[in-house]
Amino acid sequence: MNFTELHQQKSPLIIANIWDAGSAIAAQQAGYQALATSSAAIAAMLGYEDGEAIAFDEMHYIVTRIKSVTHLPLSVDLEAGFGRTTDEIAAHLIRLARPGVVGINLEDSRVVNGCRQLNDAEVFAATIKQLRNAVARESPLFFNIRTDTFLLDHKQAVAAANGANRIAIVIPCHRIIGKDGALTGYGGGIARKAWLIEHEKRCLMICASN
């Protein structure tokens, strides 16, 4: 099965984290269906701190070695993209897609002067859209987007993560209501919270009727 089909199985897809060719071979022999690199593990293996201290070319070399020893679908943890501009990051994604990488992980934070900082949510969303469009012309890639509000101990991390998410529900805090049954504050706005609750009800009714 390809990576798309693996996501559509009835059982959960469990992906093995790897960091070099040896760990990729071990994961494949253990029966995993797909692989994903760990940026922190690769950095540590090469003597770097996590947070894009490693050069992209070094990361790319490790990825090509992994691809040379396994046929399993591979997703790459690209941290913040190893670039300061959308064009730079897009060029990196295209380079990864050419040897057969099927997915990437991007974070909504980056390390600046040794301190990890969240990106502006609107700017980050626009960047993701631009990257999707740029890569689609070369090769379709799965985008896994990681939010670092929890990692950075962000105040009201659950609400912030859900409010900034315009695509899917990460954690269903929209179901929380006040003691009097009224809708309470929500990062995405009360109108969106009401829509999500009604949308869930409609989906449950459709499932019940089938």
Side-chain angles (χ1 to χ4, degrees), residues 193-203:
K193 181 169 186 171
W195 182 89
L196 288 170
I197 292 173
E198 289 304 313
H199 179 65
E200 278 194 343
K201 289 179 181 178
R202 289 193 297 271
C203 290

Side-chain angles (χ1 to χ4, degrees), residues 56 60 63-64 67-68 74 76 90-104 134-135 137-141:
F56 174 76
H60 184 266
V63 171
T64 59
K67 283 300 300 175
S68 73
L74 175 66
V76 172
H92 292 158
L93 299 189
I94 291 169
R95 282 185 64 188
L96 289 171
R98 285 173 179 163
V101 170
V102 297
I104 52 97
V135 174
R137 293 191 290 269
E138 286 278 338
S139 175
L141 280 175

Side-chain angles (χ1 to χ4, degrees), residues 50-126:
D50 193 22
E52 297 188 356
I54 183 176
F56 174 76
D57 284 341
E58 289 182 275
M59 174 76 74
H60 184 266
Y61 174 74
I62 297 297
V63 171
T64 59
R65 292 304 307 145
I66 291 170
K67 283 300 300 175
S68 73
V69 300
T70 179
H71 64 273
L72 295 179
L74 175 66
S75 182
V76 172
D77 182 354
L78 203 59
E79 303 193 57
F82 287 85
R84 294 300 174 185
T85 68
T86 303
D87 287 343
E88 282 184 291
I89 299 172
H92 292 158
L93 299 189
I94 291 169
R95 282 185 64 188
L96 289 171
R98 285 173 179 163
V101 170
V102 297
I104 52 97
N105 178 82
L106 287 174
E107 305 161 0
D108 67 349
S109 71
R110 66 172 61 247
V111 177
V112 180
N113 297 324
C115 180
R116 185 173 290 276
Q117 303 173 6
L118 282 176
N119 296 326
D120 177 83
E122 297 298 330
V123 172
F124 185 63

